[in-house]
Amino acid sequence: MRGPIPTREIIIVDESSQPLVLTLWDEHEFDEGQQIADMIHTQPIIATLRIKATSYHTLNLSTKFATCILINPPTAQANALRTWSSKNQEAFLKFIAERTYADRLNLLPAPVDDRVVTIKSLTTTNTKRPCWIRGIPNLLDRSQKMWYNACPICYKYLRARSNLEFDCTSCHKSIRVSPRSGPLI
């Protein structure tokens, strides 16, 4: 639970074999979250509509009011995922045993070369998919700080001075605020 709103985090995996965190909020935590928890040993296929994707340090998915969640939908894509899932049981057990889903370096690994594109090539393609961009960044505002204060556990930006000790409002752990590299955008 985060604050007064109940949440449930579920680790999901698709054919890319990259674990993602799906956070179910409020009524989705009670309804679909409980259904999924009750059948988690069967590795249910989950399809979502109108889901929110965020990329704060890693790619995360979370529900919102209008989200629709289908569990084990009767589709060809779900059947293909079920077949793929059966063939990759050993990898799933390894994800769980090694807690791969909790390691930020595994959740956002370095890209495979064919996924890296130039900015110029992005303007000539109609493909809508996530990709990595190769380029040279330019600092437009030289007066901007190149660091920010954050929680050392969840890396959430905090409006607090460095080394201050308190409970993080995001992960609810007792922490000491520490500076993080990179500008806050």
Side-chain angles (χ1 to χ4, degrees):
M1 182 177 314
R2 293 185 181 172
I5 301 173
T7 62
R8 183 185 307 248
E9 290 185 339
I10 298 172
I11 309 307
I12 59 174
V13 180
D14 66 5
E15 290 105 336
S16 69
S17 294
Q18 293 303 315
L20 293 172
V21 177
L22 170 62
T23 305
L24 305 176
W25 291 84
D26 208 11
E27 71 274 356
H28 297 293
E29 189 277 334
F30 291 117
D31 300 335
E32 295 92 346
Q34 190 57 53
Q35 285 180 338
I36 293 168
D38 291 344
M39 61 172 37
I40 200 70
H41 63 282
T42 66
Q43 296 179 340
I45 304 298
I46 301 169
T48 61
L49 299 169
R50 296 179 295 280
I51 196 102
K52 179 180 176 185
T54 57
S55 59
Y56 184 76
H57 292 288
T58 62
L59 182 61
N60 293 310
L61 303 173
S62 59
T63 60
K64 52 188 182 178
F65 179 75
T67 298
C68 179
I69 299 174
L70 302 172
I71 302 168
N72 291 325
T75 64
Q77 294 94 336
N79 291 337
L81 270 174
R82 171 101 29 235
T83 302
W84 173 83
S85 171
S86 303
K87 292 177 182 176
N88 289 282
Q89 282 295 328
E90 202 170 297
F92 296 149
L93 294 173
K94 184 178 175 185
F95 282 153
I96 294 166
E98 295 177 358
R99 295 183 45 86
T100 303
Y101 55 86
D103 183 354
R104 290 185 186 277
L105 294 176
N106 285 325
L107 292 175
L108 194 59
V112 181
D113 279 342
D114 68 341
R115 295 292 303 245
V116 179
V117 297
T118 63
I119 293 173
K120 184 177 182 180
S121 68
L122 277 179
T123 61
T124 61
T125 182
N126 291 331
T127 304
K128 292 184 179 179
R129 65 175 176 88
C131 61
W132 292 79
I133 301 171
R134 178 175 289 137
I136 300 171
N138 239 345
L139 186 59
L140 299 177
D141 181 3
R142 294 191 185 274
S143 66
Q144 183 178 11
K145 291 180 184 178
M146 295 307 292
W147 56 271
Y148 63 97
N149 286 327
C151 171
I153 296 170
C154 69
Y155 308 115
K156 182 74 173 172
Y157 166 74
L158 298 170
R159 289 188 142 189
R161 66 180 186 280
S162 295
N163 293 322
L164 181 67
E165 291 185 30
F166 68 98
D167 290 342
C168 175
T169 56
S170 180
C171 69
H172 306 291
K173 305 281 188 206
S174 181
I175 56 109
R176 180 184 299 265
V177 177
S178 63
R180 301 280 304 161
S181 63
L184 181 64
I185 298 175

